Amino acid sequence: MIETFYGRNALDTPVAFFAALLMGAAFGFALERAGFGSSRRLAGVFYFKDMSVVKVMFSAMLTAILGLALLTAMGWIPAGNLNLMETVYGAHAVGGLLFGLGFVMSGWCPGTAAVGLASGKWDALVFLVATMLGAIAFNELYEWIKPLYNWGLQSEPQFAFGIPTHLFAFGFALVGVVAFYFSEWIEKQVGGEGPYLQSGFLKAYSVAVVAIAATLFVFPGDSDTSYTVARPVLSDARFSSDTVLSAVASGADHIEPEVLADQLVKGDSDVVLVDIRNELEFKRFHIRGAIHVPLVDVIARLESYRDAREIVLYSNGMTHPAQARDQLAMRGFTNVYMLTDGLQGFLDRCLRPVSLFNEPLAPERVHQIATWRSYFLSDTNRPPDAVGPPDAVGPPDAVGPSSR
Amino acid sequence: MSSNETNRDIGHSPSTTNYWNPYLCGVLIGLVLIASYTVLGTGVGASAGPARLGAQIERWIAPTHTAATEYFAGWGEHPLAYYLVFMLVGTFVGGLVSALLAGRVECGVVERGKAFGAVPRLMFAGGGGLIVGFASRLARGCTSGQALSGGALLLTGSLIFVACLFAGGYASAFLFRRQWND
């Protein structure tokens, strides 16, 4: 059984940094040995002159796919120990297309450029500086790019296009072998060389790849669960998927705005209200008593509230709180709730002036709203027009005496 | 190619072709990926290095502004204190060791075809770098962090990324072919 740095939430420790440095060194060594310190060789794949990129990438992916599948099938990597990147169909497709354009234009990608720089290539240095500027441009434009960035975001990571993973891996091995022979053949057609085309090495290698892929079928317990990489988030020992799913189904992972408002007005100190929107939005307006924690920091920053009775997450919508809730649940937090309908729901249901409700309200309710408004809409903390529709909260003049 | 330039200046020295078997290099990279997933719990990555350096530099130049930008602000006050930054340093060191052992370090080379100038080649490298830097943020990783690492787990998003990467590359390759003309 292996417990990873990720699984122990220790990726930000000096030991992990050192381990990452060593992994990087091995990675860089292998890239350089493959000839990937040369942009000419890398770009060659797009002109069928030098197909090394295909040979190396398919080999690396197949080795890792088969190795990790077998390790997890044998239960050596318990679920929850692998970082599963989010699946965002649109962003991955557009990002891939753009990346391909940049790759063929420059002849580099970031990892190979680091190796190219080590080999003394100026074009690699220029590429890396430009990569940094490209990231800065992304940050500056993020507000506008956000819809694209989250275009096709799935609520949990998706695997192998929904095909059973052992089947997909086997098919991938077959495609890989075809790609190997095609690469050798086309190199021979274009450049007169296909060094491994007739070699015994490539035959033996191809047979080995397919044979190892085939063992995924006969492995004990071969089924969906043999590929536990597919389900680690929900099968962590500290966190049963059944409890979370039933909580989701029954809505028990939500807290209604009215309930929260009452708790806050009463000064309930055992409720930790967390705003996970961006800093600017938080500064403009937040629910009184909320602390600001960016989504990426929730695990680190909320650790100290593990024993609080309630951690309540809110954002503009429900997607980000759900992500944060999943992350926290995976770390064994059992006290996390999401504010129903987010900030908008809170504004609509608790802070909307009584006169703007379409239906008549009971006297207790009118009194409640007055109390909430006077508590949450103090002079120092009033929502601007930007937050919530104007008819919901209204400009300061329309707020009425109870808000003062 | 002007008269005072040699094959060395454009990366055409004989020593540059003495590489290892690409299939075995691929297996080696696959083993590194497995090691990284079993020790760190994550794959490898490279694009986070320059991106986080960019975030740090922007923070030095305009701290208040950077803290107000949603994307970089999410990386906290010390964006360089991140394992992938160290991994990229390691990648450089590993590449350097290998290149030194193979006699492939040649400082000041601008790799290109004989019939192409150094300046336009550097412009292509820079233009492509801008696009790659942007696209890596959009796709949450590059060839290392998204294609190889996510592909190793058969993540659908990563597989889409690889397919689109090659589609985009092959579709636009003819635009940039002249830089490799000899």
Side-chain angles (χ1 to χ4, degrees), chain A residues 104-153:
Chain A
V104 71
M105 186 192 284
S106 61
W108 293 113
C109 63
T112 56
V115 172
L117 182 62
S119 312
K121 307 281 167 62
W122 280 122
D123 43 327
L125 178 64
V126 169
F127 171 87
L128 283 171
V129 172
T131 306
M132 186 186 85
L133 295 175
I136 291 176
F138 180 87
N139 176 53
E140 293 303 316
L141 299 172
Y142 185 68
E143 227 173 289
W144 294 281
I145 300 165
K146 231 167 148 182
L148 177 60
Y149 185 72
N150 292 318
W151 181 31
L153 177 65

Side-chain angles (χ1 to χ4, degrees), chain B:
Chain B
M1 180 176 153
S2 62
S3 56
N4 60 349
E5 276 183 322
T6 64
N7 278 334
R8 183 207 163 275
D9 293 326
I10 60 170
H12 280 214
S13 304
S15 67
T16 56
T17 53
N18 186 25
Y19 303 126
W20 279 4
N21 177 327
Y23 299 100
L24 296 182
C25 288
V27 171
L28 186 57
I29 291 172
L31 294 175
V32 173
L33 273 168
I34 295 172
S36 186
Y37 267 118
T38 47
V39 175
L40 294 171
T42 74
V44 296
S47 64
R52 282 178 177 263
L53 183 60
Q56 181 62 71
I57 290 174
E58 204 183 329
R59 239 172 217 282
W60 281 326
I61 295 172
T64 353
H65 168 74
T66 313
T69 57
E70 187 176 354
Y71 191 73
F72 279 174
W75 289 349
E77 281 176 38
H78 304 286
L80 290 178
Y82 191 63
Y83 73 102
L84 283 178
V85 175
F86 289 81
M87 192 176 284
L88 189 66
V89 173
T91 306
F92 176 86
V93 173
L96 184 63
V97 169
S98 170
L100 282 172
L101 289 175
R104 277 194 285 263
V105 179
E106 295 183 321
C107 285
V109 168
V110 178
E111 206 176 359
R112 64 193 191 276
K114 286 180 182 134
F116 204 71
V119 172
R121 165 67 191 129
L122 290 177
M123 286 170 71
F124 274 158
L130 276 177
I131 297 172
V132 163
F134 184 92
S136 306
R137 292 304 95 213
L138 181 59
R140 295 125 169 103
C142 60
T143 5
S144 313
Q146 190 57 254
L148 288 179
S149 301
L153 297 178
L154 293 179
L155 284 164
T156 306
S158 309
L159 298 170
I160 291 174
F161 176 77
V162 187
C164 289
L165 186 159
F166 280 104
Y170 279 107
S172 56
F174 70 98
L175 295 171
F176 311 109
R177 67 187 185 283
R178 282 188 47 235
Q179 59 184 329
W180 308 112
N181 283 356
D182 284 325

Side-chain angles (χ1 to χ4, degrees), chain A residues 59 61-71 73-74 165-167 169-174 177 204-219 222 227, chain B residues 27 31 34:
Chain A
S59 294
M61 283 172 76
L62 279 168
T63 306
I65 287 168
L66 301 178
L68 288 170
L70 290 170
L71 282 175
M74 291 187 279
T165 39
H166 60 286
L167 263 183
F170 186 73
F172 200 75
L174 294 179
V177 169
Y205 178 68
S206 300
V207 169
V209 166
V210 175
I212 294 172
T215 62
L216 291 176
F217 285 93
V218 296
F219 208 86
D222 174 41
Y227 230 106
Chain B
V27 171
L31 294 175
I34 295 172

